[in-house]
Amino acid sequence: MEMTITKDEFEKVLYVATSKHMEVFESVEPYIEDASEECSAVIFGGMETDDARTVKTAKQYVCLDAFLNVFRQLDLVLTPTGFGVVANQTTSPASRQRVDALEQQLLVARERAKNRLIDNLTYLDGWGKTAAAVRCIRTVFYGITLFERYSTVPVTYDGWQAAQIDILEADMKIRRKISPEQTDKVLDALRCGKAGKEYPALLVALQEFTALFIDKSPMIGEKMRDILRSMEGDPSRYPEYMNSQAYKVNHYEPFENEKDSPAFFFVG
């Protein structure tokens, strides 16, 4: 999907790059095309859309991604309206602390834009069945806005990155408990924009479980038991789980060697 981004559109996304001159935009412009092509291939999966909201969100993501790709190569200076590029020897670069703080803010902003874009794409006909959809939504806890929604501490980009291992481990535990088949059904509905209708309570519960797992909460065991009780209380809604090996394991009863059992054997 090709996107043309103007200086005005760029500065609406990156107010810190606002300048009466063109130097910031011109420094980033060569990277915008690369970021657009990568977004089209990795996130859109080559699909096209003219949906205004989706296109707007895609441009926001591309602007942030392109700016961050060149961010450390720019000699940034703090200006009354934001950050600019050092244009002469008498202008001093912004402090390292200010630049580091700005980068962290922009990294979080890019993740939010990516999350919004993915959410929009789930309602694009056919996107949910693409490899891009599988890549973008690997688990029920696929975006930073979920992390912000459930987190009990301020969310940072580094914190979001550190949580990725826990998210994948939580997904494996979910699969062992409710079955890979049921998990995949939920994810398929999520990628196709239908999870809110088909699995509203279960989706939220699984996201809450993942958040508790990230936090290493002692409540994760009880949360999973609640999930299983809820699913087993409505078996017709969850046939993949009810007919799975996971269900049998959850209800496994060990053999008891009783005298009245046909399988009783004497141990002398």
Side-chain angles (χ1 to χ4, degrees):
M1 178 178 171
E2 295 184 4
M3 283 176 275
T4 301
I5 296 173
T6 65
K7 179 177 182 289
D8 183 59
E9 288 175 322
F10 176 76
E11 291 182 349
K12 283 182 179 178
V13 177
L14 284 146
Y15 66 93
V16 295
T18 302
S19 173
K20 63 182 179 180
H21 304 296
M22 294 288 289
E23 67 268 15
V24 178
F25 179 69
E26 288 179 348
S27 298
V28 178
E29 194 171 19
Y31 294 85
I32 289 177
E33 183 177 354
D34 292 341
S36 177
E37 290 178 356
E38 183 174 1
C39 177
S40 178
V42 176
I43 301 180
F44 277 81
M47 295 194 70
E48 299 286 339
T49 182
D50 56 2
D51 177 68
R53 185 174 62 175
T54 302
V55 172
K56 179 181 178 181
T57 308
K59 287 185 175 184
Q60 291 172 344
Y61 171 78
V62 167
C63 286
L64 288 160
D65 192 41
F67 188 63
L68 283 164
N69 284 338
V70 73
F71 186 81
R72 287 296 176 178
Q73 299 176 37
L74 298 173
D75 287 324
L76 295 175
V77 57
L78 183 61
T79 72
T81 58
F83 283 81
V85 176
V86 175
N88 56 62
Q89 294 181 345
T90 63
T91 310
S92 299
S95 70
R96 179 184 179 86
Q97 291 82 359
R98 294 297 299 271
V99 173
D100 287 347
L102 172 61
E103 183 178 36
Q104 287 299 309
Q105 291 172 13
L106 293 175
L107 285 167
V108 171
R110 181 179 65 179
E111 289 300 316
R112 288 174 180 154
K114 181 180 179 181
N115 200 156
R116 291 195 302 273
L117 177 56
I118 291 170
D119 287 343
N120 288 341
L121 286 170
T122 60
Y123 296 100
L124 179 63
D125 187 36
W127 182 83
K129 298 298 183 179
T130 65
V134 175
R135 183 166 50 245
C136 291
I137 303 180
R138 294 185 294 168
T139 73
V140 295
F141 213 84
Y142 61 93
I144 198 170
T145 56
L146 292 167
F147 196 37
E148 292 176 313
R149 184 180 304 162
Y150 293 108
S151 177
T152 57
V153 297
V155 171
T156 65
Y157 179 75
D158 289 342
W160 171 240
Q161 292 301 299
Q164 297 307 304
I165 297 299
D166 287 331
I167 291 170
L168 291 176
E169 189 171 346
D171 179 70
M172 288 190 287
K173 290 185 179 297
I174 288 170
R175 288 175 178 277
R176 283 200 295 268
K177 283 296 185 179
I178 74 170
S179 81
E181 297 83 2
Q182 187 67 70
T183 306
D184 286 338
K185 285 287 289 186
V186 174
L187 288 174
D188 184 61
L190 185 57
R191 294 173 189 132
C192 295
K194 299 177 181 178
K197 180 180 179 180
E198 297 180 4
Y199 302 105
L202 179 58
L203 177 61
V204 171
L206 294 177
Q207 290 171 342
E208 289 174 341
F209 172 83
T210 304
L212 291 171
F213 190 86
I214 294 170
D215 290 342
K216 306 296 188 294
S217 170
M219 297 172 59
I220 55 175
E222 184 57 36
K223 184 63 183 180
M224 181 52 70
R225 286 189 285 273
D226 285 344
I227 291 171
L228 295 177
R229 281 194 291 266
S230 177
M231 294 176 70
E232 291 168 15
D234 191 4
S236 62
R237 182 182 286 271
Y238 308 108
E240 290 80 13
Y241 167 62
M242 298 303 297
N243 297 317
S244 71
Q245 185 63 30
Y247 176 84
K248 295 177 182 177
V249 171
N250 291 338
H251 294 273
Y252 170 73
E253 296 182 6
F255 170 73
E256 294 182 5
N257 187 32
E258 299 177 348
K259 289 184 177 180
D260 58 351
S261 170
F264 172 77
F265 60 90
F266 175 75
V267 179

